[in-house]
Amino acid sequence: NNLALTQQQQVQWYQLAAEAFLGSGQPMQSINARNQLAQQLDPSSPQYHTNLQRIWSTLQQFDLKQLHDRRQPLISPNLKGWIDLALILEQPNQTQPQLIKQHIIMREIVI
């Protein structure tokens, strides 16, 4: 239970957890930890942006089928958005109008 930790301790906790999960071959758990970490960081900080880049680089380890398999209704909306973005960008031969349509659909889902 990390609720008793200070904010800085929570940041360190999620950073270590993310690295441990990734190092032990559990990339989705690593992404979940980084998603929690993002909630503890200031969105204007370099650390926040580095964390987002690490989420994205970890997602890029999955192929299209793996992304579809991990897109389950029980995951957080934030994580689902990351996976949706990765799925959109993994589809070959997307035209600009198709990407715009996908973006509009994703916005409606999020809102």
Side-chain angles (χ1 to χ4, degrees):
N1 185 356
N2 59 0
L3 295 177
L5 301 175
T6 68
Q7 196 242 353
Q8 183 57 35
Q9 290 170 328
Q10 288 184 43
V11 166
Q12 290 174 332
W13 167 264
Y14 288 122
Q15 286 174 330
L16 290 172
E19 293 302 319
F21 282 129
L22 193 59
S24 64
Q26 300 176 67
M28 196 51 98
Q29 287 83 351
S30 177
I31 291 169
N32 281 326
R34 290 207 172 276
N35 190 37
Q36 294 294 320
L37 174 60
Q39 296 175 25
Q40 301 299 319
L41 299 172
D42 176 1
S44 65
S45 73
Q47 190 178 15
Y48 179 83
H49 294 284
T50 298
N51 187 56
L52 296 183
Q53 289 171 342
R54 289 193 176 150
I55 290 172
W56 183 244
S57 67
T58 304
L59 270 174
Q60 291 179 322
Q61 296 176 16
F62 296 103
D63 63 29
L64 208 52
K65 181 181 178 338
Q66 290 171 319
L67 288 170
H68 277 290
D69 291 346
R70 283 163 177 79
R71 191 183 177 278
Q72 13 179 325
L74 300 176
I75 62 175
S76 74
N78 190 333
L79 185 53
K80 192 173 184 180
W82 277 105
I83 292 173
D84 287 345
L85 177 61
L87 285 168
I88 289 169
L89 295 177
E90 282 293 321
Q91 295 179 19
N93 304 321
Q94 288 275 358
T95 64
Q96 185 177 7
Q98 289 170 321
L99 289 172
I100 291 170
K101 183 179 177 183
Q102 295 256 1
H103 171 73
I104 291 169
I105 291 169
M106 282 184 58
R107 286 193 64 184
E108 289 174 0
I109 291 170
V110 171
I111 297 172

